Amino acid sequence: MSEPSIISERRDRVLLITLNRPGQLNALSADTIAELNALLVPADKDPSLGCIVITGSEKAFAAGADIKEMQDKSYQAMARQDYFAEWETFARLRTPRIAAVNGYALGGGCELMLMCDFAIAGRSARFGLPEIKLGVMPGMGGTQRLPRLVGRALAMDLILTGRTMEADEALAAGLVARLVEDDAVVETALQAAQTIAGYSKPATLLARDAVNRADEVSLSEGTLFERRVFHSLFATSDQREGMTAFVEKRPPVFTGN
Ligand code: HXC
């Protein structure tokens, strides 16, 4: 049997997933996404799971989709298989997820990062969408998610030149949320994940639903959606607990109800 493409480890209410194709700089294969979805589709429904952290190795978060797997494909095969459509399943998971990025996050690796809610990166991380150099273009959401995050001009620059961006520039552009020392990346992401997982799950799920809604609708529709889901949280006992704990000057204990 071949090595699994991912390794997962449950730490209390957090799931840590490590991409595990070191010989290929964690290039994302058909097996990678099949294993991710097999693990995460059921996990997404687990009320005791509060947050997911996805990381790679010191050298590479992921250096792209697996070029060797795609190299000989025909247009007909790509279209028939709707190649990369499985990544939409991953992108639609509701559990909050953080990308913990060291080394290269290129092509599909950068696009995987863009499918996470935010990224924490090391100072030596490198980002880019170099597909243009291979005679193709981004195919895992990069042309849609990157301009929404960093603006059209910088997204066009990265997608059309294929250049690699350093960590400082990625932080300034808003591509990553935090930069830390390389050896603190995973620990910092796990701490953020534990923090998120300690809050009321209905609140974290609906907060990210509301933020994601902004990509789809007008400002007035988005703020209406926000207000309605905000109101709905007053049906939870966690709202009562959170506000009562504040007034009683004690830490809240959320149950997800
Ligand atoms: C398959 C890959 C790979 C990839 C690296 N490897 N990236 N295999 N797919 N995306 C393999 C190499 O072939 C090599 O295996 C091993 O990993 C180590 O890589 P090296 O190139 O020897 O390492 P290094 O010299 O340090 O260079 C690192 C690198 C370079 C700069 C990251 O590997 C690189 O440029 N990789 C490709 C980056 C890229 O173009 N990504 C976009 C992919 S397309 P062997 O067995 O040869 O030693 C994509 C498509 C999305 O993501 C949708 C559009 C269709």
Side-chain angles (χ1 to χ4, degrees), residues 105-186:
L106 298 177
C110 188
E111 293 172 288
L112 167 59
M113 187 185 95
L114 291 168
M115 289 177 213
C116 296
D117 295 317
F118 64 94
I120 293 174
R123 294 189 194 286
S124 58
R126 297 287 177 271
F127 307 87
L129 291 175
E131 289 94 336
I132 202 81
K133 296 180 184 173
L134 301 168
V136 290
M137 57 176 278
M140 284 168 54
T143 64
Q144 305 305 302
R145 293 192 180 97
L146 188 64
R148 284 170 163 85
L149 200 58
V150 305
R152 179 185 159 91
L154 184 55
M156 283 289 196
D157 173 8
L158 290 168
I159 290 166
L160 294 178
T161 68
R163 77 176 170 92
T164 301
M165 190 193 238
E166 304 215 338
D168 288 347
E169 190 185 354
L171 180 69
L175 182 61
V176 302
R178 305 190 209 174
L179 271 196
V180 298
E181 296 308 320
D182 291 356
D183 60 7
V185 167
V186 176

Side-chain angles (χ1 to χ4, degrees), residues 23-25 27 59 63-68 84 104 108 131 134 137 139:
Q24 293 79 25
L25 301 185
K59 180 158 185 196
D66 191 321
I67 297 168
K68 291 168 192 166
F84 290 147
Y104 296 108
E131 289 94 336
L134 301 168
M137 57 176 278

Side-chain angles (χ1 to χ4, degrees), residues 24-252:
Q24 293 79 25
L25 301 185
N26 291 328
L28 305 167
S29 64
D31 283 350
T32 314
I33 184 57
E35 290 172 32
L36 278 172
N37 284 343
L39 175 72
L40 293 180
V41 170
D44 201 39
K45 305 269 185 281
D46 174 356
S48 72
L49 179 65
C51 195
I52 298 165
V53 173
I54 301 180
T55 194
S57 67
E58 227 169 85
K59 180 158 185 196
F61 176 69
D66 191 321
I67 297 168
K68 291 168 192 166
E69 225 175 51
M70 289 183 286
Q71 180 185 8
D72 294 324
K73 296 262 187 212
S74 65
Y75 163 75
Q76 287 82 352
M78 289 304 242
R80 198 168 44 240
Q81 292 171 25
D82 198 6
Y83 209 78
F84 290 147
E86 300 86 347
W87 286 98
E88 286 300 318
T89 304
F90 173 86
R92 278 198 302 271
L93 296 171
R94 296 190 71 205
T95 309
R97 49 196 178 275
I98 304 172
V101 180
N102 269 318
Y104 296 108
L106 298 177
C110 188
E111 293 172 288
L112 167 59
M113 187 185 95
L114 291 168
M115 289 177 213
C116 296
D117 295 317
F118 64 94
I120 293 174
R123 294 189 194 286
S124 58
R126 297 287 177 271
F127 307 87
L129 291 175
E131 289 94 336
I132 202 81
K133 296 180 184 173
L134 301 168
V136 290
M137 57 176 278
M140 284 168 54
T143 64
Q144 305 305 302
R145 293 192 180 97
L146 188 64
R148 284 170 163 85
L149 200 58
V150 305
R152 179 185 159 91
L154 184 55
M156 283 289 196
D157 173 8
L158 290 168
I159 290 166
L160 294 178
T161 68
R163 77 176 170 92
T164 301
M165 190 193 238
E166 304 215 338
D168 288 347
E169 190 185 354
L171 180 69
L175 182 61
V176 302
R178 305 190 209 174
L179 271 196
V180 298
E181 296 308 320
D182 291 356
D183 60 7
V185 167
V186 176
E187 204 39 55
T188 307
L190 284 170
Q191 278 171 16
Q194 292 291 1
T195 300
I196 293 167
Y199 296 134
S200 168
K201 191 159 181 192
T204 59
L205 292 188
L206 291 181
R208 70 179 292 289
D209 276 354
V211 173
N212 287 333
R213 205 72 200 138
D215 288 340
E216 314 286 342
V217 301
S218 67
L219 180 61
S220 59
E221 286 299 321
T223 51
L224 177 63
F225 178 82
E226 179 196 71
R227 221 160 46 246
R228 293 294 176 251
V229 293
F230 168 71
H231 296 159
S232 76
L233 288 172
F234 286 74
T236 64
S237 40
D238 280 346
Q239 171 271 326
R240 209 52 42 107
E241 167 63 10
M243 294 191 176
T244 305
F246 175 81
V247 172
E248 293 177 354
K249 299 187 189 301
R250 62 170 174 82

